[in-house]
Amino acid sequence: MSRLRSVPADPVDRAYLPLDEWRLVESRPHQDLGLTETLFATANGYLGMRGTPEEGRDAEIHGTFLNGFHETWQINHAESAFGFARTGQTMISVPDSSVLKLYVDDEPLLLSIADLEEYERWIDFREGVLHRELIWRTPAGKRVKVSSSRMVSFAQRHLALMTLRVEMLEGSAPIAISSQIINRQDFRDDYGKGVEGGPITDKADPRRTTDFTHRVLEPLQDWHSDRRMLLGYRVANSGMTLAVGADHAVESDAEVEQLVDTSADFGRQVVRAHLEEGQSLTVRKSVTYHSSRSVPHRELFDRCRRTLDRVRAGGFEAQFAEQRAYLADFWASSDVQLPGQPAEQQATRWCLFQLAQAAARSDQWGIPAKGVTGSGYEGHYFWDSEIYVVPFLTFTQPRWARNALRFRTNLLPKARERARELNQRGALFPWRTINGDEASAYYAAGTAQYHIDADVAYAFAQYVDVTGDLDFQHRDGVHVLVETARMWADLGFWRLTADGSASFHINGVTGPDEYTTVVNNNMFTNVMARYNLRRAARAVRELHEADETEYQAMLVELDLDELELEQWDACADGMHVAKDESLGIHLQEDRFLEREVWDLSSTPAEAFPLLLNYHPLVIYRFQVLKQADVVLALFLRGSEFTAEEKRADFEYYDPITTGDSSLSAVVQSIMAAEVGHQQAALDYFRAGLFVDLGNLHGNTSDGVHIASAGGVWNALVHGFGGMRHDDGLISFDPRLPDGWPELSFPLTLRGSRFRVRLVREEISFTLETGDEVEITVRGETVTVGPDGVTVPLADQGPLLDDAVLARPVGLGDERADGSIMTSHVPKDPEDPWEYPVASDPDDIIDES
């Protein structure tokens, strides 16, 4: 049985994080600082602030990030070759403005040592404001109530608001609040300790970020007035520019003194007062960040001033009200309801809130793998966005989805350059990037993942089908589809078979499973490329029918020969998708079955993830998967496969899938539900749902797993809700888990929003906004209107025994060449052993 299926029903540490369906609450300071800094991060897709304490200490990983704001550096290959990635890109931390240090009797508040009578920190997903309240008994015996808040605005993407209120409950004391802006990118602490040297790229975990040891943020100007500070910078190598500004407003019933100063890497406004018992002091801090690829910092200073002036004129309460309204709209079109499942409900809403924090105001930047909550994966954009996140946006927040896809359109010129560099026509999107250049230094698990082109095309096609946004298709989508289709037609080749027919093959690629690299005819790649080719030809023909003028302009702009469409059709129709008839499965790649099977059940827990404990060549010799590959293709292109094929494929690949990638569990859950492994579906769902709240992969401190959060929505809607979409047609075949009384969620289809409510005996649909829509439930077509419609259900689909998933299929069977398929674990060379010699294949399997 997969180790992902052993996740407890609620793996969250409730001693620190008590259950609340609409809030994430910390009832006492958590010992894992990095974890809570991620869980309580506040962000809007452009600006993100980790959940470090207002005092700035203690903290594991400080970080304030702007989407796309990065440094570049030369990738130094020990043995370079033509076409290797040359320019590394790393999202950097901008100056930290979250610091509001408190001193009482000149003693600093430090949570790690403070005598706290009361403590609570929380974020309500309907408010989008991080709050903290505590009562501190100082070493001198004074009792002080400290209340703070932090908000990154959705409505004003460049704006963050912070408050700190201090009230003397017992005693009197001098109070000082030091509001600061600190360049932590170049200075590791609050006291000016800097760094030297160059980028550090030799790190044990490739998922973590690069650390720089040269000065990254070059100061350009600092300025201050009585209540405002401005700092300006240029990034050393990338040339990007930045301005950060802060305003302060102070309220108190005691006399107050204020001091302000700035320097190249530091800004500070100090507020002093002597508070008697019952008196209070409040500091309100508004902060703004503006960045650019090239605009001079003086222009960015002006933008900062305008943002801060609006807050000064309108006040904080108006901003809080805008935030609540923004999130009310978000939840109306996104909230998935799980009555009777409080732990799952809280975690689901937390995941959906993270998707808002990652995508809402990315505004035509990409969606980084960690959003703007941490520096993991260096702030890069991957295929994750198009396959795991954009579907959620398409069905709930179409405008956000359009923005995410516009980012790919803007990358087309760089993608064309990359294709030419790899001797291909069309466009090849970089595997990981910020600025459009390929940043993956390891091509086998990076550039070789050509499937990213088809993933992008899939997202474009799905968006148009679901939203009906033909204007976007004709202006942007067709360009992406044409250039990606050209790449596939050029990359593949035709091969004649013994019976004289021909099939189209794609060699030398890597699929989603990064434990099986640079192979021929990866099944996921070929299936998705086939869809890409067909949708490109269709998009061109639809444009021809819709707008002859635009069509002719597109032919000229792309230098498109109409005969190319026939080529794409032929390549798609002839696409090679290999099957092994003896096992009845699709081959992940041509030679997959030639490998021995990795015995995951005998692999010690400390050996996972395999990529951190085994050389890639060791892993590549085995049938073992990092994440779903064939199974993902079955989900995305489900209409192309029979129910029998899906079950056979799932039951073969599931037992050899490690789940070392956080992307895997949610896909396994969806397909387990469809084929009938209902308990496995629920187990995998929990493994995806609690990836971060339960820190199941041990690296939540690096930032939220945004794609996994998107996968949670997919697992609920596609897996348990049974929703599928094909060419804009929406169908349902539900799989409500045993023990769940109800599942409810909204969907937006071509401008109409309707809510789906699933219980064991029936599924109902109610139109909330827009025109009536047609859907199908298990083959029955129904129309959804304001009065709603209900369809009775005989059952929740097939129910299969999960015992078959405990052991890989085919062990002990003969391959086509007569060899026996066996299973084992690579041994430590310090522990000599030999393969057993036995005449009975079962003996080989048992003993090895």
Side-chain angles (χ1 to χ4, degrees), residues 187-218:
F187 296 89
R188 292 292 183 249
D189 60 28
D190 299 359
Y191 308 105
K193 183 179 178 181
V195 293
E196 302 173 353
I200 302 171
T201 58
D202 182 17
K203 48 189 187 284
D205 188 343
R207 299 168 296 182
R208 306 201 72 177
T209 194
T210 293
D211 286 328
F212 292 98
T213 54
H214 70 275
R215 176 179 263 281
V216 175
L217 292 176
E218 298 176 341

PDB file of all heavy atoms in Angstrom, residues 187-218:
ATOM      1  N   PHE A 187      21.151  41.621   3.974  1.00  0.00           N
ATOM      2  CA  PHE A 187      21.565  41.664   5.373  1.00  0.00           C
ATOM      3  C   PHE A 187      20.758  40.636   6.145  1.00  0.00           C
ATOM      4  O   PHE A 187      19.537  40.734   6.233  1.00  0.00           O
ATOM      5  CB  PHE A 187      21.379  43.072   5.947  1.00  0.00           C
ATOM      6  CG  PHE A 187      22.250  44.082   5.269  1.00  0.00           C
ATOM      7  CD1 PHE A 187      21.811  44.761   4.141  1.00  0.00           C
ATOM      8  CD2 PHE A 187      23.539  44.329   5.718  1.00  0.00           C
ATOM      9  CE1 PHE A 187      22.612  45.668   3.479  1.00  0.00           C
ATOM     10  CE2 PHE A 187      24.352  45.233   5.070  1.00  0.00           C
ATOM     11  CZ  PHE A 187      23.907  45.902   3.943  1.00  0.00           C
ATOM     12  N   ARG A 188      21.450  39.654   6.678  1.00  0.00           N
ATOM     13  CA  ARG A 188      20.788  38.488   7.232  1.00  0.00           C
ATOM     14  C   ARG A 188      20.094  38.738   8.574  1.00  0.00           C
ATOM     15  O   ARG A 188      19.335  37.923   9.042  1.00  0.00           O
ATOM     16  CB  ARG A 188      21.809  37.347   7.402  1.00  0.00           C
ATOM     17  CG  ARG A 188      22.309  36.802   6.070  1.00  0.00           C
ATOM     18  CD  ARG A 188      21.178  36.087   5.342  1.00  0.00           C
ATOM     19  NE  ARG A 188      21.648  35.501   4.085  1.00  0.00           N
ATOM     20  CZ  ARG A 188      21.303  35.932   2.892  1.00  0.00           C
ATOM     21  NH1 ARG A 188      20.491  36.953   2.784  1.00  0.00           N
ATOM     22  NH2 ARG A 188      21.761  35.348   1.803  1.00  0.00           N
ATOM     23  N   ASP A 189      20.426  39.846   9.249  1.00  0.00           N
ATOM     24  CA  ASP A 189      19.758  40.135  10.506  1.00  0.00           C
ATOM     25  C   ASP A 189      19.396  41.614  10.565  1.00  0.00           C
ATOM     26  O   ASP A 189      19.565  42.348   9.599  1.00  0.00           O
ATOM     27  CB  ASP A 189      20.627  39.721  11.703  1.00  0.00           C
ATOM     28  CG  ASP A 189      21.976  40.442  11.733  1.00  0.00           C
ATOM     29  OD1 ASP A 189      22.057  41.575  11.221  1.00  0.00           O
ATOM     30  OD2 ASP A 189      22.944  39.867  12.255  1.00  0.00           O
ATOM     31  N   ASP A 190      18.881  42.037  11.710  1.00  0.00           N
ATOM     32  CA  ASP A 190      18.401  43.412  11.853  1.00  0.00           C
ATOM     33  C   ASP A 190      19.514  44.398  12.155  1.00  0.00           C
ATOM     34  O   ASP A 190      19.259  45.586  12.313  1.00  0.00           O
ATOM     35  CB  ASP A 190      17.373  43.486  12.990  1.00  0.00           C
ATOM     36  CG  ASP A 190      16.155  42.616  12.731  1.00  0.00           C
ATOM     37  OD1 ASP A 190      16.110  41.983  11.664  1.00  0.00           O
ATOM     38  OD2 ASP A 190      15.263  42.588  13.588  1.00  0.00           O
ATOM     39  N   TYR A 191      20.742  43.924  12.218  1.00  0.00           N
ATOM     40  CA  TYR A 191      21.829  44.776  12.702  1.00  0.00           C
ATOM     41  C   TYR A 191      22.917  45.006  11.669  1.00  0.00           C
ATOM     42  O   TYR A 191      24.034  45.355  11.987  1.00  0.00           O
ATOM     43  CB  TYR A 191      22.424  44.170  13.983  1.00  0.00           C
ATOM     44  CG  TYR A 191      21.356  43.868  14.994  1.00  0.00           C
ATOM     45  CD1 TYR A 191      20.950  42.564  15.225  1.00  0.00           C
ATOM     46  CD2 TYR A 191      20.714  44.905  15.675  1.00  0.00           C
ATOM     47  CE1 TYR A 191      19.942  42.287  16.141  1.00  0.00           C
ATOM     48  CE2 TYR A 191      19.704  44.639  16.594  1.00  0.00           C
ATOM     49  CZ  TYR A 191      19.321  43.322  16.820  1.00  0.00           C
ATOM     50  OH  TYR A 191      18.317  43.050  17.706  1.00  0.00           O
ATOM     51  N   GLY A 192      22.600  44.752  10.387  1.00  0.00           N
ATOM     52  CA  GLY A 192      23.520  45.122   9.326  1.00  0.00           C
ATOM     53  C   GLY A 192      24.562  44.083   8.980  1.00  0.00           C
ATOM     54  O   GLY A 192      25.528  44.390   8.288  1.00  0.00           O
ATOM     55  N   LYS A 193      24.400  42.827   9.441  1.00  0.00           N
ATOM     56  CA  LYS A 193      25.349  41.788   9.069  1.00  0.00           C
ATOM     57  C   LYS A 193      25.088  41.377   7.632  1.00  0.00           C
ATOM     58  O   LYS A 193      24.011  40.892   7.290  1.00  0.00           O
ATOM     59  CB  LYS A 193      25.229  40.577   9.999  1.00  0.00           C
ATOM     60  CG  LYS A 193      26.255  39.496   9.702  1.00  0.00           C
ATOM     61  CD  LYS A 193      26.100  38.329  10.678  1.00  0.00           C
ATOM     62  CE  LYS A 193      27.109  37.229  10.349  1.00  0.00           C
ATOM     63  NZ  LYS A 193      26.967  36.071  11.260  1.00  0.00           N
ATOM     64  N   GLY A 194      26.085  41.568   6.761  1.00  0.00           N
ATOM     65  CA  GLY A 194      25.885  41.350   5.337  1.00  0.00           C
ATOM     66  C   GLY A 194      26.439  40.046   4.847  1.00  0.00           C
ATOM     67  O   GLY A 194      26.747  39.137   5.608  1.00  0.00           O
ATOM     68  N   VAL A 195      26.565  39.922   3.515  1.00  0.00           N
ATOM     69  CA  VAL A 195      27.025  38.705   2.855  1.00  0.00           C
ATOM     70  C   VAL A 195      28.077  39.063   1.821  1.00  0.00           C
ATOM     71  O   VAL A 195      28.211  40.204   1.416  1.00  0.00           O
ATOM     72  CB  VAL A 195      25.843  37.973   2.181  1.00  0.00           C
ATOM     73  CG1 VAL A 195      24.892  37.454   3.223  1.00  0.00           C
ATOM     74  CG2 VAL A 195      25.116  38.896   1.214  1.00  0.00           C
ATOM     75  N   GLU A 196      28.843  38.083   1.402  1.00  0.00           N
ATOM     76  CA  GLU A 196      29.899  38.299   0.428  1.00  0.00           C
ATOM     77  C   GLU A 196      29.916  37.156  -0.569  1.00  0.00           C
ATOM     78  O   GLU A 196      29.517  36.055  -0.251  1.00  0.00           O
ATOM     79  CB  GLU A 196      31.275  38.353   1.132  1.00  0.00           C
ATOM     80  CG  GLU A 196      31.386  39.436   2.199  1.00  0.00           C
ATOM     81  CD  GLU A 196      32.692  39.331   2.954  1.00  0.00           C
ATOM     82  OE1 GLU A 196      33.411  38.343   2.723  1.00  0.00           O
ATOM     83  OE2 GLU A 196      32.973  40.219   3.760  1.00  0.00           O
ATOM     84  N   GLY A 197      30.447  37.399  -1.759  1.00  0.00           N
ATOM     85  CA  GLY A 197      30.705  36.315  -2.705  1.00  0.00           C
ATOM     86  C   GLY A 197      29.729  36.257  -3.845  1.00  0.00           C
ATOM     87  O   GLY A 197      29.272  37.264  -4.344  1.00  0.00           O
ATOM     88  N   GLY A 198      29.352  35.023  -4.275  1.00  0.00           N
ATOM     89  CA  GLY A 198      28.476  34.818  -5.424  1.00  0.00           C
ATOM     90  C   GLY A 198      27.332  33.887  -5.079  1.00  0.00           C
ATOM     91  O   GLY A 198      27.112  33.542  -3.928  1.00  0.00           O
ATOM     92  N   PRO A 199      26.546  33.447  -6.098  1.00  0.00           N
ATOM     93  CA  PRO A 199      25.384  32.612  -5.820  1.00  0.00           C
ATOM     94  C   PRO A 199      25.795  31.236  -5.315  1.00  0.00           C
ATOM     95  O   PRO A 199      26.733  30.634  -5.804  1.00  0.00           O
ATOM     96  CB  PRO A 199      24.682  32.511  -7.184  1.00  0.00           C
ATOM     97  CG  PRO A 199      25.758  32.752  -8.175  1.00  0.00           C
ATOM     98  CD  PRO A 199      26.717  33.707  -7.520  1.00  0.00           C
ATOM     99  N   ILE A 200      25.057  30.755  -4.310  1.00  0.00           N
ATOM    100  CA  ILE A 200      25.276  29.414  -3.790  1.00  0.00           C
ATOM    101  C   ILE A 200      24.260  28.500  -4.444  1.00  0.00           C
ATOM    102  O   ILE A 200      23.064  28.618  -4.203  1.00  0.00           O
ATOM    103  CB  ILE A 200      25.105  29.385  -2.261  1.00  0.00           C
ATOM    104  CG1 ILE A 200      26.070  30.363  -1.602  1.00  0.00           C
ATOM    105  CG2 ILE A 200      25.298  27.985  -1.710  1.00  0.00           C
ATOM    106  CD1 ILE A 200      25.825  30.553  -0.120  1.00  0.00           C
ATOM    107  N   THR A 201      24.705  27.589  -5.288  1.00  0.00           N
ATOM    108  CA  THR A 201      23.774  26.717  -5.993  1.00  0.00           C
ATOM    109  C   THR A 201      23.975  25.251  -5.660  1.00  0.00           C
ATOM    110  O   THR A 201      23.233  24.407  -6.125  1.00  0.00           O
ATOM    111  CB  THR A 201      23.940  26.890  -7.521  1.00  0.00           C
ATOM    112  OG1 THR A 201      25.300  26.601  -7.872  1.00  0.00           O
ATOM    113  CG2 THR A 201      23.604  28.296  -7.923  1.00  0.00           C
ATOM    114  N   ASP A 202      24.981  24.933  -4.857  1.00  0.00           N
ATOM    115  CA  ASP A 202      25.234  23.551  -4.475  1.00  0.00           C
ATOM    116  C   ASP A 202      24.413  23.240  -3.232  1.00  0.00           C
ATOM    117  O   ASP A 202      24.872  23.318  -2.107  1.00  0.00           O
ATOM    118  CB  ASP A 202      26.727  23.336  -4.198  1.00  0.00           C
ATOM    119  CG  ASP A 202      27.031  21.885  -3.836  1.00  0.00           C
ATOM    120  OD1 ASP A 202      26.164  21.034  -4.122  1.00  0.00           O
ATOM    121  OD2 ASP A 202      28.104  21.631  -3.266  1.00  0.00           O
ATOM    122  N   LYS A 203      23.149  22.895  -3.446  1.00  0.00           N
ATOM    123  CA  LYS A 203      22.271  22.644  -2.319  1.00  0.00           C
ATOM    124  C   LYS A 203      21.780  21.208  -2.367  1.00  0.00           C
ATOM    125  O   LYS A 203      21.552  20.632  -3.423  1.00  0.00           O
ATOM    126  CB  LYS A 203      21.102  23.622  -2.318  1.00  0.00           C
ATOM    127  CG  LYS A 203      20.378  23.784  -3.663  1.00  0.00           C
ATOM    128  CD  LYS A 203      19.399  24.921  -3.576  1.00  0.00           C
ATOM    129  CE  LYS A 203      18.518  25.020  -4.818  1.00  0.00           C
ATOM    130  NZ  LYS A 203      19.215  25.592  -5.947  1.00  0.00           N
ATOM    131  N   ALA A 204      21.596  20.614  -1.190  1.00  0.00           N
ATOM    132  CA  ALA A 204      21.240  19.199  -1.127  1.00  0.00           C
ATOM    133  C   ALA A 204      19.842  18.939  -1.653  1.00  0.00           C
ATOM    134  O   ALA A 204      19.570  17.872  -2.193  1.00  0.00           O
ATOM    135  CB  ALA A 204      21.366  18.710   0.314  1.00  0.00           C
ATOM    136  N   ASP A 205      18.938  19.883  -1.494  1.00  0.00           N
ATOM    137  CA  ASP A 205      17.556  19.702  -1.923  1.00  0.00           C
ATOM    138  C   ASP A 205      17.285  20.623  -3.108  1.00  0.00           C
ATOM    139  O   ASP A 205      17.223  21.844  -2.952  1.00  0.00           O
ATOM    140  CB  ASP A 205      16.612  20.021  -0.773  1.00  0.00           C
ATOM    141  CG  ASP A 205      15.161  19.680  -1.089  1.00  0.00           C
ATOM    142  OD1 ASP A 205      14.844  19.508  -2.279  1.00  0.00           O
ATOM    143  OD2 ASP A 205      14.354  19.595  -0.144  1.00  0.00           O
ATOM    144  N   PRO A 206      17.098  20.059  -4.322  1.00  0.00           N
ATOM    145  CA  PRO A 206      16.907  20.905  -5.500  1.00  0.00           C
ATOM    146  C   PRO A 206      15.611  21.692  -5.482  1.00  0.00           C
ATOM    147  O   PRO A 206      15.405  22.562  -6.324  1.00  0.00           O
ATOM    148  CB  PRO A 206      16.927  19.898  -6.661  1.00  0.00           C
ATOM    149  CG  PRO A 206      16.504  18.601  -6.047  1.00  0.00           C
ATOM    150  CD  PRO A 206      17.063  18.625  -4.646  1.00  0.00           C
ATOM    151  N   ARG A 207      14.739  21.402  -4.530  1.00  0.00           N
ATOM    152  CA  ARG A 207      13.469  22.127  -4.449  1.00  0.00           C
ATOM    153  C   ARG A 207      13.619  23.472  -3.737  1.00  0.00           C
ATOM    154  O   ARG A 207      12.713  24.288  -3.776  1.00  0.00           O
ATOM    155  CB  ARG A 207      12.430  21.267  -3.715  1.00  0.00           C
ATOM    156  CG  ARG A 207      12.142  19.943  -4.409  1.00  0.00           C
ATOM    157  CD  ARG A 207      11.346  19.008  -3.536  1.00  0.00           C
ATOM    158  NE  ARG A 207      12.090  18.623  -2.341  1.00  0.00           N
ATOM    159  CZ  ARG A 207      11.631  17.766  -1.419  1.00  0.00           C
ATOM    160  NH1 ARG A 207      10.451  17.230  -1.564  1.00  0.00           N
ATOM    161  NH2 ARG A 207      12.369  17.470  -0.368  1.00  0.00           N
ATOM    162  N   ARG A 208      14.748  23.682  -3.070  1.00  0.00           N
ATOM    163  CA  ARG A 208      14.956  24.913  -2.319  1.00  0.00           C
ATOM    164  C   ARG A 208      15.598  25.990  -3.206  1.00  0.00           C
ATOM    165  O   ARG A 208      16.074  25.714  -4.298  1.00  0.00           O
ATOM    166  CB  ARG A 208      15.801  24.650  -1.077  1.00  0.00           C
ATOM    167  CG  ARG A 208      15.231  23.545  -0.188  1.00  0.00           C
ATOM    168  CD  ARG A 208      15.747  23.622   1.219  1.00  0.00           C
ATOM    169  NE  ARG A 208      15.163  24.765   1.928  1.00  0.00           N
ATOM    170  CZ  ARG A 208      15.412  25.028   3.208  1.00  0.00           C
ATOM    171  NH1 ARG A 208      16.228  24.263   3.898  1.00  0.00           N
ATOM    172  NH2 ARG A 208      14.858  26.068   3.796  1.00  0.00           N
ATOM    173  N   THR A 209      15.636  27.188  -2.690  1.00  0.00           N
ATOM    174  CA  THR A 209      16.079  28.318  -3.495  1.00  0.00           C
ATOM    175  C   THR A 209      17.588  28.480  -3.471  1.00  0.00           C
ATOM    176  O   THR A 209      18.282  27.908  -2.628  1.00  0.00           O
ATOM    177  CB  THR A 209      15.412  29.624  -3.009  1.00  0.00           C
ATOM    178  OG1 THR A 209      15.603  30.645  -3.981  1.00  0.00           O
ATOM    179  CG2 THR A 209      15.999  30.074  -1.682  1.00  0.00           C
ATOM    180  N   THR A 210      18.075  29.284  -4.407  1.00  0.00           N
ATOM    181  CA  THR A 210      19.484  29.667  -4.436  1.00  0.00           C
ATOM    182  C   THR A 210      19.730  30.798  -3.444  1.00  0.00           C
ATOM    183  O   THR A 210      18.940  31.733  -3.352  1.00  0.00           O
ATOM    184  CB  THR A 210      19.869  30.130  -5.852  1.00  0.00           C
ATOM    185  OG1 THR A 210      19.796  29.019  -6.750  1.00  0.00           O
ATOM    186  CG2 THR A 210      21.273  30.699  -5.876  1.00  0.00           C
ATOM    187  N   ASP A 211      20.815  30.704  -2.702  1.00  0.00           N
ATOM    188  CA  ASP A 211      21.225  31.789  -1.815  1.00  0.00           C
ATOM    189  C   ASP A 211      22.334  32.576  -2.499  1.00  0.00           C
ATOM    190  O   ASP A 211      23.287  32.001  -3.016  1.00  0.00           O
ATOM    191  CB  ASP A 211      21.748  31.246  -0.482  1.00  0.00           C
ATOM    192  CG  ASP A 211      20.637  30.737   0.403  1.00  0.00           C
ATOM    193  OD1 ASP A 211      19.530  31.299   0.330  1.00  0.00           O
ATOM    194  OD2 ASP A 211      20.868  29.775   1.148  1.00  0.00           O
ATOM    195  N   PHE A 212      22.212  33.899  -2.471  1.00  0.00           N
ATOM    196  CA  PHE A 212      23.238  34.751  -3.058  1.00  0.00           C
ATOM    197  C   PHE A 212      24.177  35.257  -1.971  1.00  0.00           C
ATOM    198  O   PHE A 212      23.746  35.528  -0.851  1.00  0.00           O
ATOM    199  CB  PHE A 212      22.613  35.936  -3.784  1.00  0.00           C
ATOM    200  CG  PHE A 212      21.860  35.545  -5.016  1.00  0.00           C
ATOM    201  CD1 PHE A 212      20.485  35.390  -4.977  1.00  0.00           C
ATOM    202  CD2 PHE A 212      22.524  35.321  -6.209  1.00  0.00           C
ATOM    203  CE1 PHE A 212      19.790  35.026  -6.113  1.00  0.00           C
ATOM    204  CE2 PHE A 212      21.835  34.953  -7.344  1.00  0.00           C
ATOM    205  CZ  PHE A 212      20.469  34.800  -7.298  1.00  0.00           C
ATOM    206  N   THR A 213      25.422  35.388  -2.335  1.00  0.00           N
ATOM    207  CA  THR A 213      26.378  35.969  -1.396  1.00  0.00           C
ATOM    208  C   THR A 213      27.011  37.225  -1.958  1.00  0.00           C
ATOM    209  O   THR A 213      28.033  37.683  -1.455  1.00  0.00           O
ATOM    210  CB  THR A 213      27.463  34.940  -1.022  1.00  0.00           C
ATOM    211  OG1 THR A 213      28.050  34.433  -2.209  1.00  0.00           O
ATOM    212  CG2 THR A 213      26.859  33.808  -0.204  1.00  0.00           C
ATOM    213  N   HIS A 214      26.432  37.778  -3.031  1.00  0.00           N
ATOM    214  CA  HIS A 214      26.828  39.109  -3.471  1.00  0.00           C
ATOM    215  C   HIS A 214      25.670  40.065  -3.187  1.00  0.00           C
ATOM    216  O   HIS A 214      24.544  39.631  -2.960  1.00  0.00           O
ATOM    217  CB  HIS A 214      27.171  39.116  -4.973  1.00  0.00           C
ATOM    218  CG  HIS A 214      25.977  38.939  -5.870  1.00  0.00           C
ATOM    219  ND1 HIS A 214      25.469  37.708  -6.211  1.00  0.00           N
ATOM    220  CD2 HIS A 214      25.182  39.847  -6.501  1.00  0.00           C
ATOM    221  CE1 HIS A 214      24.429  37.849  -7.012  1.00  0.00           C
ATOM    222  NE2 HIS A 214      24.233  39.150  -7.205  1.00  0.00           N
ATOM    223  N   ARG A 215      25.957  41.344  -3.166  1.00  0.00           N
ATOM    224  CA  ARG A 215      24.875  42.316  -2.953  1.00  0.00           C
ATOM    225  C   ARG A 215      23.922  42.255  -4.132  1.00  0.00           C
ATOM    226  O   ARG A 215      24.314  42.443  -5.279  1.00  0.00           O
ATOM    227  CB  ARG A 215      25.419  43.729  -2.781  1.00  0.00           C
ATOM    228  CG  ARG A 215      24.298  44.762  -2.658  1.00  0.00           C
ATOM    229  CD  ARG A 215      24.811  46.171  -2.453  1.00  0.00           C
ATOM    230  NE  ARG A 215      24.821  46.558  -1.041  1.00  0.00           N
ATOM    231  CZ  ARG A 215      23.731  46.952  -0.373  1.00  0.00           C
ATOM    232  NH1 ARG A 215      22.556  46.965  -0.981  1.00  0.00           N
ATOM    233  NH2 ARG A 215      23.825  47.320   0.876  1.00  0.00           N
ATOM    234  N   VAL A 216      22.662  42.011  -3.827  1.00  0.00           N
ATOM    235  CA  VAL A 216      21.641  41.859  -4.860  1.00  0.00           C
ATOM    236  C   VAL A 216      20.893  43.165  -5.088  1.00  0.00           C
ATOM    237  O   VAL A 216      20.708  43.601  -6.228  1.00  0.00           O
ATOM    238  CB  VAL A 216      20.669  40.728  -4.482  1.00  0.00           C
ATOM    239  CG1 VAL A 216      19.528  40.652  -5.486  1.00  0.00           C
ATOM    240  CG2 VAL A 216      21.401  39.390  -4.409  1.00  0.00           C
ATOM    241  N   LEU A 217      20.436  43.797  -4.021  1.00  0.00           N
ATOM    242  CA  LEU A 217      19.682  45.048  -4.135  1.00  0.00           C
ATOM    243  C   LEU A 217      20.642  46.225  -3.995  1.00  0.00           C
ATOM    244  O   LEU A 217      21.145  46.509  -2.904  1.00  0.00           O
ATOM    245  CB  LEU A 217      18.600  45.113  -3.062  1.00  0.00           C
ATOM    246  CG  LEU A 217      17.442  44.123  -3.200  1.00  0.00           C
ATOM    247  CD1 LEU A 217      16.509  44.232  -2.009  1.00  0.00           C
ATOM    248  CD2 LEU A 217      16.677  44.343  -4.498  1.00  0.00           C
ATOM    249  N   GLU A 218      20.899  46.888  -5.117  1.00  0.00           N
ATOM    250  CA  GLU A 218      21.803  48.032  -5.112  1.00  0.00           C
ATOM    251  C   GLU A 218      20.996  49.291  -4.798  1.00  0.00           C
ATOM    252  O   GLU A 218      20.066  49.638  -5.521  1.00  0.00           O
ATOM    253  CB  GLU A 218      22.485  48.176  -6.464  1.00  0.00           C
ATOM    254  CG  GLU A 218      23.349  46.969  -6.827  1.00  0.00           C
ATOM    255  CD  GLU A 218      23.949  47.085  -8.214  1.00  0.00           C
ATOM    256  OE1 GLU A 218      23.425  47.896  -9.028  1.00  0.00           O
ATOM    257  OE2 GLU A 218      24.919  46.360  -8.493  1.00  0.00           O
TER     258      GLU A 218
END
